[in-house]
Amino acid sequence: VCITKDNTQLQVDGILFFQITDPMRASYGSSDFMIAITQLAQTTLRSMVGKMELDKTFEERDAINAQVVNALDEAASNWGVKVLRYEIKDLTPPAEILRAMQAQITAEREKRALIAASEGRRQEQINIATGEREAFIARSEGEKQAEINNAQGEASAILAVAEASAEAIRKIAAAIQSPGGEQAVQLKVAEKAV
């Protein structure tokens, strides 16, 4: 049992691999090298875990393993033992902590789902607004072009009427200038008067 930096008890199960390199030292260097290595592994592990918060212990397994091997190998060389490897087999927090972690994971997933849904709604509203804006611009451009076309049509009609009137006046003036034109004008005026 180890206690983390944030005061959580943690049950740690580990496997230690070692090799006897010097049988004489293994027999006489320590009263029982198996117990000595086991005790040293436990104290080193407790020390390492005590420096970490609970969440970090799950992330830093490889670092813990390496540090335990380094500490054990240094001490065990005097006992004729070479520590090859240490592996954390299992990390078990108390049941209440496991339930809290599950609740936290569930809440985090629900939060991500809500954020994704709101982002989707936001994007939908942006797309609708952009579509409406582009449709309004297209309609106004069409109305503008229609007004321009109507104005150009009216201007062309006015110009055509003015040119026709001018041509008619020119023809009347030419007719008046011709022989007998003056008498024709007087006749026309007299008819109107009558």
Side-chain angles (χ1 to χ4, degrees):
V1 175
C2 300
I3 297 176
T4 62
K5 186 177 182 181
D6 50 358
N7 292 326
T8 305
Q9 279 194 349
L10 187 63
Q11 183 78 33
V12 182
D13 190 8
I15 302 171
L16 184 62
F17 299 92
F18 61 88
Q19 176 182 9
I20 297 173
T21 56
D22 188 346
M24 187 187 79
R25 279 189 175 178
S27 299
Y28 300 110
S30 169
S31 57
D32 188 345
F33 72 89
M34 292 282 284
I35 292 174
I37 288 177
T38 304
Q39 293 296 319
L40 187 56
Q42 288 176 352
T43 56
T44 305
L45 183 63
R46 283 188 182 122
S47 173
M48 305 306 292
V49 170
K51 295 175 187 172
M52 298 180 182
E53 293 182 356
L54 179 64
D55 292 340
K56 283 287 184 193
T57 58
F58 295 106
E59 298 170 12
E60 301 288 333
R61 287 175 108 154
D62 290 339
I64 293 170
N65 291 341
Q67 290 175 350
V68 169
V69 167
N70 290 341
L72 288 176
D73 197 36
E74 187 178 317
S77 63
N78 293 331
W79 303 327
V81 177
K82 169 78 174 149
V83 177
L84 303 172
R85 192 172 178 147
Y86 181 79
E87 286 293 328
I88 294 176
K89 190 166 79 169
D90 195 16
L91 292 169
T92 311
E96 303 84 39
I97 300 291
L98 278 175
R99 279 194 293 276
M101 289 169 80
Q102 283 299 110
Q104 181 183 7
I105 290 168
T106 302
E108 188 64 33
R109 285 188 179 136
E110 288 173 358
K111 176 182 145 190
R112 283 196 301 250
L114 288 173
I115 289 171
S118 70
E119 285 291 327
R121 284 192 299 274
R122 177 178 162 268
Q123 192 60 46
E124 176 187 17
Q125 290 171 352
I126 289 171
N127 290 347
I128 289 170
T130 302
E132 288 174 355
R133 186 177 124 249
E134 289 175 2
F136 178 76
I137 289 171
R139 276 195 300 274
S140 69
E141 286 290 328
E143 289 169 3
K144 174 184 159 190
Q145 193 59 47
E147 287 179 16
I148 289 171
N149 291 346
N150 287 339
Q152 286 176 342
E154 287 178 19
S156 295
I158 291 170
L159 187 60
V161 168
E163 286 176 358
S165 295
E167 185 61 30
I169 291 171
R170 273 195 292 278
K171 286 187 178 182
I172 291 172
I176 291 173
Q177 296 295 325
S178 64
E182 187 87 22
Q183 289 85 10
V185 169
Q186 289 174 358
L187 177 65
K188 200 65 165 163
V189 170
E191 282 177 357
K192 291 272 182 182
V194 173

